[in-house]
């Protein structure tokens, strides 16, 4: 209570100003509503039916967007469904109005012979029938896992009997032991005898061999059940506060220990697989049987993210060997691991690796783990692997950085044979290409654009890249007439004086080069990706439209707004990425500062004596660290939902970049530990019910700032989630607070006393 009262007392109350100045923030925030539907483009790549005969996509239309279904053979188009009929059905289940032109989802998949669709809405799956539409929220019956590593034992596991390949038998777990019995709940053949509540067989891991001779499952020793408790201070429709609890493993916590066990189906003989090759696992993947039933495989990621393997186990003997081993002195980018088992036989594997300093594809001997051949090679990065054809021994993939002189983040699409020969480029032009391939890769939809070029969607041949048909051509004429101007792409050398750092510059629409403008950086420096938009600005779905629109809104208040991908972010070389290792306090600031100074040297209107910064989540942490570690350059910042102390945040994101066990690198990046260094002006915004980053992380910074007798501003959004104030909910209020904050701190303006109106 003391901390909240002190923080609230720090909110500045400014004197009333003229109506024109009072309306500046509101006018800027309203830009989204005025511009949002002025373009005509495709926001996302197409999605194909499983038979490859049709695909569908979403495109903007007057007042909103529509879903279009396309016959791949004839290119005939029709509405993907009756949106006017679907909207009322969705409104009933969501208990809120739904506009047919603004349906609350971006993607969907057909089901039941195109008689129904399934879509994600607010991170939950919903299913809607299309004839006499009715919608329902789908319930996931699987046992939840905290960030994938600790099972929530308060929720029963999905324990439906798993049928053997011939349908005669079924396996399930009873009293923590694996049981095999006749199908339909018949005679029990055998059950294990070593399961217990503290060392149980997981029914959701049961996997039958294709020949039915063996069945395997994981035996699990539970990890630490850390619970984060949040107070819901203003629950809707209620007076008294309530509590919310969440299973939330944090760095250093014990994770579930999993051990694969193989059973002979006929006898029940048990073989426990020794963990010699996979000790100290952070995660093990689902068990995968090879098609001959002689071996089972799984992926292993070592705690600390410095080793990954594919482990194959002989079903009869239980002897394991490493089919692939990937070691690094820093981190393995877990989300970018790729494995393809050629012919599902285990003899050859396609594997993505950064072992030569760039992410490339390798053909691995699955029996020895040795590299048979490096398939792709060069100072460029393999990005997405879309399709692997075992019969043709061919791979379709995207890559960036291939063309000298082009933006190194632009993706292009290629195909290549397993032996590295016949590398064929399927897309061209100095643009960003997002593609969606048919199930057999004979055709693909290519949506290409650039920050200054609207999207063009084309159906192309998957073998040659030849354009079969132009599906849609973006039109930004109305947007341009309304005053839109594309951002400037700017490149400058990084901290080493050699490496190109890429970013964007957004200026006010009434920009006057004779004036001087403060700079505001929109930062997100999470090592898991790169973040500067590359597709058409500002509304392309894969181009970072929300970032773009917000940057123009702020710029129009009288700022030059920039966004930069500094060292430590992904999609460049391994060395570029490794800057983040045990170094999250860095956030690429030496590159960012050098880049902004280079911009100012080119454009005298850029005033680097007044530099602000804002960001959310990891960007919120970087925002605070800018003020703590670089106060001579950054003087004002707005930090949304920051993971300000990595010991407080989710386990997998932080252990991946800072390692395990928890060490000094966690303290080096901590805004709590270094709070007393604050010199600039700070506004923090946090959602009370943030389930992504523990909101206590923000309050611990508040406590440390108060103890250090520092001035700051704090906005807590009741019932707000991780994106509180940035996307949905009370977004205009938080935006207004952010924009007014920068007007006061960087422009020296008096902002309105909005309580006086």
């Amino acid at each position: 209570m003391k901390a909240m009262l002190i923080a609230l007392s720090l909110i500045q109350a400014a004197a009333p100003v003229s109506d024109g100045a009072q309306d500046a923030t509101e006018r800027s925030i309203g830009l989204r509503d005025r511009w949002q539907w002025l373009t005509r483009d495709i926001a996302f790549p197409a999605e194909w039916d499983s038979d490859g005969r049709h695909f569908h996509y979403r495109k903007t239309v007057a007042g909103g967007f529509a879903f279009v279904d396309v016959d791949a053979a004839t290119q005939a188009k029709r509405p993907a469904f009756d949106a006017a009929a679907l909207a009322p059905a969705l409104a009933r289940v969501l208990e809120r109005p739904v506009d047919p032109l603004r349906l609350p989802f971006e993607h969907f998949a057909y089901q039941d012979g195109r008689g129904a669709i399934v879509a994600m809405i607010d991170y939950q799956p919903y299913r809607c029938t299309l004839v006499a539409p009715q919608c329902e929220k789908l319930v996931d019956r699987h046992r939840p896992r905290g960030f994938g590593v600790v099972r929530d034992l308060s929720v029963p596991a999905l324990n439906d009997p798993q049928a053997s390949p011939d349908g005669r038998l079924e396996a399930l777990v009873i009293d923590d032991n694996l049981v095999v019995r006749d199908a339909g709940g018949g005679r029990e053949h055998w059950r294990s005898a070593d399961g217990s509540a503290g060392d149980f067989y997981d029914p959701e891991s049961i996997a039958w061999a294709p020949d039915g001779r063996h069945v395997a499952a994981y035996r699990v020793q539970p990890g630490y059940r850390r619970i984060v408790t949040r107070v819901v201070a203003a629950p809707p429709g209620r007076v008294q506060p309530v509590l919310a609890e969440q299973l939330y493993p944090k760095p250093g916590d014990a994770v579930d220990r999993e051990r694969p066990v193989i059973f002979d189906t006929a006898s029940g003989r048990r073989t426990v697989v020794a963990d010699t090759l996979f000790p100290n696992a952070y995660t093990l993947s689902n068990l995968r049987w090879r098609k001959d039933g002689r071996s089972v495989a799984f992926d292993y990621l070592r705690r600390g993210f410095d080793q990954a393997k594919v482990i194959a186990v002989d079903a009869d003997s239980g002897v394991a060997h490493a089919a692939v081993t990937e070691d690094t002195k820093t981190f393995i980018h877990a989300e970018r691991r790729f494995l393809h088992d050629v012919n599902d036989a285990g003899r050859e594997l396609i594997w993505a690796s950064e072992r030569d300093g760039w992410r490339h594809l390798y053909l691995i001997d699955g029996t020895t783990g040795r590299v048979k051949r490096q398939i792709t090679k060069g100072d460029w990065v393999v990005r997405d692997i879309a399709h692997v054809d075992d019969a043709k021994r061919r791979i379709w993939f995207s890559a960036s950085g291939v063309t000298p002189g082009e933006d190194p983040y632009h993706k292009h699409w290629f195909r290549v044979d397993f032996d590295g020969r016949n590398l064929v480029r399927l897309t061209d032009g100095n643009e960003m290409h997002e593609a969606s391939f048919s199930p057999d890769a004979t055709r693909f939809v290519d949506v290409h654009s650039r920050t200054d070029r609207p999207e063009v969607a084309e159906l192309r041949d998957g073998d040659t890249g030849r354009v079969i048909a132009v599906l849609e051509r973006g039109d930004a004429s109305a947007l341009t007439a309304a005053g839109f101007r594309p951002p400037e792409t700017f490149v400058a050398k990084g901290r080493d004086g050699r490496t190109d750092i890429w970013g964007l510059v957004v200026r006010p629409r009434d920009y006057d080069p004779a004036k001087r403008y403060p700079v505001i950086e929109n930062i997100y420096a999470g090592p898991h990706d790169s973040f500067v938009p590359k597709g058409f600005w500002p509304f392309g779905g894969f181009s970072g439209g929300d970032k773009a629109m917000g940057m123009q809104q702020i710029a129009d208040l009288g700022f030059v707004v920039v966004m930069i991908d500094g060292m430590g972010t992904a999609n460049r070389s391994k060395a570029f990425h490794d800057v983040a290792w045990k170094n999250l306090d860095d956030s690429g600031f030496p590159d960012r500062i050098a880049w902004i100074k280079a911009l100012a040297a080119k454009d005298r209107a850029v005033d680097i004596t007044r530099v602000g910064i804002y960001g959310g989540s990891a960007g919120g942490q970087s925002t605070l660290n800018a003020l703590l570690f670089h106060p001579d350059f950054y003087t004002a910042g707005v930090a949304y939902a920051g993971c300000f102390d990595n010991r407080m945040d989710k386990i997998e994101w932080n252990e991946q970049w800072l390692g395990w066990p928890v060490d000094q690198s966690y303290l080096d990046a901590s805004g709590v530990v270094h709070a007393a260094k604050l010199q600039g002006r700070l506004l923090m915004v946090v959602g009370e019910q943030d389930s992504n980053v523990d909101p206590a992380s923000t309050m611990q910074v508040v406590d440390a700032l108060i103890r250090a007798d520092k001035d700051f501003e704090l906005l807590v959004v009741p019932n707000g989630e991780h994106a509180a104030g940035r996307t949905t909910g009370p977004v205009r209020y938080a935006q207004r607070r952010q924009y007014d904050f920068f007007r006061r701190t960087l422009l020296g303006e008096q902002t309105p006393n909005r309580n006086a109106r």
Side-chain angles (χ1 to χ4, degrees):
M1 178 61 71
K2 176 182 176 183
M4 184 64 72
L5 290 173
I6 294 175
L8 291 174
S9 73
L10 298 172
I11 304 299
Q12 298 185 3
V17 296
S18 68
D19 289 344
Q22 182 173 358
D23 291 337
T25 294
E26 282 85 350
R27 284 200 308 270
S28 189
I29 290 174
L31 185 66
R32 178 182 296 274
D33 293 335
R34 298 193 299 274
W35 277 13
Q36 190 160 6
W37 309 113
L38 295 182
T39 57
R40 295 292 174 266
D41 55 32
I42 295 178
F44 300 94
E47 297 173 276
W48 289 79
D49 285 12
S50 59
D51 60 9
R53 297 172 61 185
H54 287 256
F55 57 86
H56 60 269
Y57 53 81
R58 193 183 86 164
K59 73 171 188 175
T60 55
V61 296
F65 52 82
F67 290 93
V68 178
D69 180 71
V70 182
D71 184 305
T74 67
Q75 291 86 61
K77 299 176 185 177
R78 65 178 184 180
F81 47 75
D82 186 344
L86 186 65
L90 272 174
R92 287 191 293 272
V93 72
L94 296 174
E95 299 182 333
R96 65 174 188 259
V98 174
D99 186 335
L101 288 177
R102 303 184 188 184
L103 297 174
F105 55 86
E106 300 168 343
H107 310 273
F108 74 87
Y110 284 113
Q111 282 192 344
D112 298 339
R114 300 188 135 221
I117 64 170
V118 173
M120 296 296 292
I121 301 175
D122 298 332
Y123 304 103
Q124 298 293 328
Y126 286 80
R127 184 180 186 277
C128 299
T129 58
L130 297 179
V131 177
Q134 294 186 7
C135 300
E136 62 176 338
K137 181 179 178 180
L138 299 179
V139 178
D140 186 357
R141 296 173 54 219
H142 292 88
R143 171 179 277 163
R145 297 192 194 186
F147 303 118
V149 293
V150 177
R151 291 163 173 81
D152 187 350
L153 300 185
S154 69
V155 178
L158 178 62
N159 196 21
D160 294 344
Q162 302 298 302
S164 61
D166 62 9
R168 294 187 306 104
L169 303 174
E170 62 187 21
L172 73 163
V173 171
I174 299 176
D175 295 333
D176 300 313
N177 280 287
L178 186 68
V179 174
V180 168
R181 66 190 185 191
D182 288 335
R187 178 179 65 88
E188 183 175 310
H189 289 248
W190 53 262
R191 74 169 60 190
S192 64
D194 54 343
S196 66
D199 200 357
F200 58 87
Y201 286 91
D202 180 4
E204 296 184 7
S205 71
I206 295 171
W208 283 94
D211 59 8
R213 293 181 54 244
H214 296 90
V215 62
Y218 280 125
R219 192 172 164 200
V220 181
Q221 293 178 351
Y224 175 57
R225 189 173 184 268
R226 180 184 294 280
I227 298 295
V228 166
T229 302
R230 301 185 296 271
V231 176
V232 186
R238 302 181 60 171
V239 174
Q240 297 301 324
V242 296
L243 295 180
E245 292 187 340
Q246 179 184 359
L247 179 62
Y248 193 105
K250 295 186 178 184
D253 287 351
V255 301
D256 287 354
R257 183 187 178 208
E258 300 173 319
R259 290 160 297 161
V261 183
I262 301 172
F263 291 87
D264 180 273
T265 303
S267 66
R269 178 177 61 87
R270 181 195 65 178
T271 301
V272 178
V273 181
D275 64 0
T276 307
L277 292 175
F278 50 97
N280 195 24
Y282 178 75
T283 57
L284 302 180
S285 71
N286 291 337
L287 297 164
R288 306 182 301 270
W289 284 94
R290 269 65 184 270
K291 66 180 180 182
D292 62 5
R294 298 176 61 183
S295 63
V296 65
F298 55 91
D299 305 331
Y300 160 68
L301 181 61
R302 187 162 66 189
R303 192 83 183 262
F305 289 76
D306 60 349
Q307 185 182 74
K309 292 180 180 179
V310 177
I311 305 294
V313 184
D314 180 82
D316 289 321
S317 67
V319 174
H321 76 275
V324 183
T325 300
E326 187 78 15
D327 289 301
T328 178
K329 294 180 180 178
T330 55
F331 57 81
I332 289 169
H333 195 172
E335 293 80 10
R336 300 288 176 88
R337 286 179 294 167
F338 176 81
L339 168 71
H340 174 78
D341 189 338
V342 178
N343 293 315
D344 196 25
R347 289 186 290 274
E348 290 183 313
L349 306 172
I350 306 294
W351 179 253
S353 170
E354 293 182 288
R355 61 187 65 191
D356 77 344
W358 302 84
R359 186 173 189 250
H360 282 295
L361 298 174
Y362 292 77
L363 183 65
I364 306 293
D365 185 323
T367 59
T368 66
R370 296 175 180 171
V371 175
K372 294 181 67 174
R373 188 172 296 108
Q374 183 170 351
I375 300 171
T376 61
K377 190 172 185 178
D379 292 351
W380 45 272
V381 180
V382 170
R383 298 283 292 273
D384 311 294
I385 296 88
H387 184 74
V388 180
D389 189 318
D390 292 338
K392 294 181 179 178
R393 294 181 71 80
R394 184 170 293 169
I395 307 166
W396 285 259
F397 67 96
S398 70
S400 57
V402 177
T403 306
E406 186 177 346
D407 186 324
Y409 297 93
H410 281 175
K411 287 200 292 189
H412 286 282
W413 292 84
F414 302 82
R415 65 169 174 82
V416 68
D417 293 344
F418 284 10
D419 61 7
R421 298 177 181 176
N422 299 319
L423 178 66
V424 175
R425 182 168 177 157
L426 302 174
T427 59
D428 52 20
N430 185 9
E431 294 180 307
M432 181 74 166
H433 292 257
E434 293 288 355
S436 175
F437 283 76
S438 63
D440 60 3
T442 57
R443 290 157 295 179
F444 68 100
V445 176
D446 174 31
V447 182
H448 57 92
S449 72
R450 204 169 64 189
T451 54
D452 58 347
R453 294 180 187 172
E455 287 95 341
V456 175
E458 300 164 331
L459 180 65
R460 290 177 176 249
D461 181 88
D463 190 54
T464 66
R466 176 182 60 87
V467 176
I468 298 171
V470 176
L471 301 168
E472 305 284 350
R473 191 176 296 277
D475 181 1
S477 57
L479 188 65
T480 301
F484 163 74
R485 299 294 180 270
E488 174 192 351
T489 296
F490 187 70
V491 184
K493 298 302 180 184
R495 69 187 72 184
D496 59 5
R498 301 185 307 274
T499 304
D500 283 340
I501 303 298
W502 288 70
L504 288 177
V505 185
V506 182
R507 294 181 172 85
R509 286 178 291 151
D510 61 357
Y511 179 73
D512 182 350
K515 293 183 178 180
R516 298 278 283 168
Y517 295 91
V519 182
I520 297 178
E521 180 179 356
N522 174 11
I523 190 169
Y524 196 92
H528 55 280
D529 211 337
S530 55
F531 305 97
V532 175
K534 300 299 176 182
F536 180 61
W537 189 279
F539 298 115
F542 60 82
S543 69
D546 284 337
K547 305 172 196 171
M549 190 72 261
M551 291 171 70
Q552 188 65 65
Q553 289 172 309
I554 296 173
D556 283 353
L557 291 170
F559 302 99
V560 170
V561 185
V562 302
M563 192 172 187
I564 308 158
D565 280 321
M567 292 185 186
T569 52
N571 300 322
R572 299 282 289 274
S573 69
K574 176 63 171 166
F576 190 100
H577 201 187
D578 276 349
V579 170
W581 174 239
K582 291 188 176 294
N583 193 32
L584 290 186
D585 50 306
D586 180 277
S587 291
F589 282 124
D591 311 302
R592 299 170 187 279
I593 293 170
W595 189 96
I596 295 172
K597 287 181 176 178
L599 177 67
K602 175 188 175 185
D603 184 352
R604 67 169 305 278
V606 175
D607 182 0
I608 58 173
T609 67
R610 295 176 292 167
V611 182
I613 187 169
Y614 70 96
S617 195
Q621 179 182 27
S622 295
T623 295
L624 177 61
N625 285 349
L627 301 180
L628 300 180
F629 303 131
H630 302 279
D632 55 334
F633 191 77
Y634 297 95
T635 58
V638 180
Y640 288 90
C643 44
F644 298 116
D645 188 310
N646 301 96
R647 298 170 296 179
M648 289 288 292
D649 193 23
K650 66 196 76 66
I651 185 172
E652 90 283 355
W653 197 89
N654 298 276
E655 287 196 4
Q656 181 161 191
W657 315 119
L658 294 174
W660 176 90
V662 172
D663 61 11
Q664 183 63 37
S665 66
Y666 286 78
L667 304 180
D668 292 341
S670 170
V672 177
V673 172
H674 299 282
K677 296 178 180 178
L678 179 67
Q679 294 184 35
R681 303 288 292 277
L682 172 66
L683 166 63
M684 291 188 293
V685 182
V686 64
E688 175 197 57
Q689 297 305 312
D690 191 335
S691 62
N692 187 308
V693 174
D694 185 348
S697 183
T698 295
M699 301 313 295
Q700 289 183 1
V701 175
V702 168
D703 178 66
L705 291 171
I706 291 171
R707 292 177 184 275
D709 198 27
K710 296 291 183 177
D711 290 340
F712 62 96
E713 299 182 31
L714 172 67
L715 171 61
V716 178
V717 181
N719 302 307
E721 247 288 356
H722 188 56
R726 288 180 288 143
T727 53
T728 58
V731 60
R732 289 182 181 268
Y733 181 78
Q735 276 187 312
R736 189 262 287 173
R737 289 287 300 276
Q738 174 186 343
Y739 295 2
D740 283 354
F741 173 85
F742 283 135
R743 290 174 62 193
R744 293 195 311 269
T745 58
L746 295 177
L747 293 176
E749 295 181 352
Q750 283 187 311
T751 52
N753 178 359
R754 301 178 192 277
N755 294 344
R757 58 189 176 186

